Amino acid sequence: MKTVLISGASIAGPALAYWLGRHGFRPTVVEIAPALRAGGNRVDFRGRTHLGVLERMGVLDDLRAVQTGGTAMRFVDAAGRRLMELPAHFAGGDIEVPRFDLARVLHERSRDTTEYLFGDSIAAMSDTARGVDVTFASGTRRTFDLVVGADGVHSAVRRLMFGPQVRFVRHLGYYVATWGLPNDLGLDRHSVLFTAPGRMASVGGDHRDPSRAGAFVVFAAPRIDYDRHDQDQQRDIIRARFTGMGWEVPRLLAALDGATDLYFDAICRVDVPSWSRGRIALIGDAAAGATIGGMGTGTAVVAAYVLAGELAAAGGDHTVAFPATSGCWPTSPGAARRAATPPAGSSRRGPRRRPGCATGCSTGRRSWP
């Protein structure tokens, strides 16, 4: 029985672990956080490809039970007067769910066949003829048949085995931050947005807890040198950019110090020419993704299905399975959107198959149980 170490317990990692366990592999997921990460934006799924894979996983009903129904976006001026509004279905997809709920469902569905190691990470790896020798940050050493990096835009697996981040991650000129706060404005499920040149601040009610709300800000800036693990420094950056903006921004900034779920990152794009090297592969945003854009989650879930299926079809032979997956899912948000949403009247059941893809992607010429 092949052992597979997966780095990252957000979305792609647990989804891949689920399918690997179902195909008889022994997956282990290592996650640097001490538990599943709370907070995060809402994520959506679109089209028959996304929904088809979720249905095969048996999670579609679970996600429908926690779906948000989409979020209307109301743009206002500094006095709070409505300027325009985008309806909930504009950005909500077929199913929109809080990111944490999706991660929780995938973890629950995979944990019976998966070893989860929270509070640890991969510190070093060596790809050998007999497997991948892994040293964890905790000092533990183990050997796995395969390793998959599902650890996002700032992938440690990619850095250790493919090269430094600067070679693969392109800054797109903006930064984004989210955090929770009390719903003192009495907001319902919609989001309210206020913009100024180079800046946008918004706040919306929590779909699960009416007493809570979520702040979401974006600002334009060249690359900033900061410590990704220093949240006090990140708070200072946010305050420096938004102090004096007006509207309800002072209220949002006042909640920063007490926020335990702060997320801050650059808006960037990942492009890796080859998604595998020897016994090590990349999946999700670690391989081809963007910080924000709305299509990465669905693409990651489809990619997990395809990668596990190709490994199963190849009897665990990575030299066959890894190259077969390289043409099976889109490499840009635009391509992902076109793949996930067939044109009107089309009978196509999955993304267009690219050369080298034996599966027709998720629901085409070949599929798996």
Side-chain angles (χ1 to χ4, degrees):
M1 187 181 296
K2 293 277 187 179
T3 58
V4 183
L5 174 64
I6 303 166
S7 176
S10 180
I11 305 302
L16 178 61
Y18 167 82
W19 285 112
L20 288 174
R22 184 162 164 173
H23 288 304
F25 293 81
R26 290 171 51 200
T28 296
V29 175
V30 60
E31 167 58 49
I32 191 171
L36 290 178
R37 296 177 186 267
N41 294 322
R42 294 175 288 272
V43 297
D44 60 74
F45 296 93
R46 300 167 182 262
R48 285 173 285 183
T49 299
H50 290 177
L51 300 187
V53 172
L54 294 175
E55 187 171 21
R56 291 184 183 213
M57 295 181 75
V59 302
L60 195 52
D61 288 342
D62 293 336
L63 296 181
R64 282 179 171 148
V66 295
Q67 66 181 327
T68 65
T71 304
M73 294 180 286
R74 182 178 304 161
F75 292 79
V76 299
D77 63 15
R81 294 180 294 245
R82 183 186 307 189
L83 300 175
M84 64 168 288
E85 183 167 323
L86 296 174
H89 63 77
F90 178 81
D94 293 313
I95 294 182
E96 181 186 81
V97 298
R99 191 208 64 82
F100 173 74
D101 281 330
L102 174 61
R104 173 184 56 78
V105 168
L106 294 177
H107 174 256
E108 290 173 352
R109 288 303 181 110
S110 61
R111 64 187 176 189
D112 287 345
T113 57
T114 301
E115 175 190 19
Y116 276 90
L117 305 175
F118 287 100
D120 209 347
S121 61
I122 299 173
M125 289 187 291
S126 178
D127 190 353
T128 73
R130 63 185 180 85
V132 183
D133 296 331
V134 177
T135 301
F136 293 94
S138 63
T140 302
R141 296 184 178 182
R142 293 172 60 177
T143 299
F144 298 87
D145 293 309
L146 304 170
V147 174
V148 178
D151 42 356
V153 167
H154 306 288
S155 171
V157 170
R158 189 186 61 224
R159 173 176 51 80
L160 289 169
M161 301 305 296
F162 291 75
Q165 177 170 299
V166 68
R167 289 173 50 188
F168 309 112
V169 179
R170 179 161 57 95
H171 180 59
L172 298 181
Y174 292 86
Y175 285 83
V176 60
T178 66
W179 64 93
L181 68 159
N183 189 6
D184 294 335
L185 296 173
L187 299 167
D188 57 20
R189 294 159 62 109
H190 68 274
S191 293
V192 184
L193 298 87
F194 175 61
T195 65
R199 295 182 293 179
M200 186 277 290
S202 71
V203 61
D206 190 303
H207 287 73
R208 295 169 297 179
D209 183 354
S211 70
R212 300 292 296 171
F216 176 81
V217 300
V218 181
F219 65 90
R223 190 186 302 274
I224 300 172
D225 184 18
Y226 71 97
D227 184 348
R228 290 185 49 247
H229 303 290
D230 186 342
Q231 291 202 334
D232 288 336
Q233 184 185 23
Q234 295 165 25
R235 290 183 176 95
D236 290 341
I237 293 171
I238 296 168
R239 289 192 189 95
R241 298 287 172 168
F242 286 91
T243 295
M245 186 175 177
W247 183 59
E248 297 291 347
V249 173
R251 186 192 301 268
L252 305 186
L253 296 179
L256 260 178
D257 283 336
T260 59
D261 56 352
L262 174 64
Y263 167 81
F264 179 82
D265 206 347
I267 296 181
C268 53
R269 172 170 167 164
V270 178
D271 291 288
V272 184
S274 176
W275 298 340
S276 64
R277 178 169 296 177
R279 294 174 176 270
I280 294 116
L282 302 173
I283 193 173
D285 287 350
T291 313
I292 192 169
M295 298 307 301
T297 301
T299 304
V301 170
V302 172
Y305 171 76
V306 172
L307 178 55
E310 290 290 356
L311 281 168
D317 186 347
H318 64 282
T319 65
V320 175
F322 286 173
T325 65
S326 64
C328 284
W329 57 85
T331 58
S332 71
R337 186 174 295 107
R338 291 190 295 274
T341 309
S346 171
S347 60
R348 177 167 54 89
R349 291 177 55 81
R352 292 182 179 88
R353 180 162 50 89
R354 296 167 55 191
C357 176
T359 66
C361 297
S362 64
T363 54
R365 186 157 59 92
R366 184 167 84 208
S367 59
W368 306 276

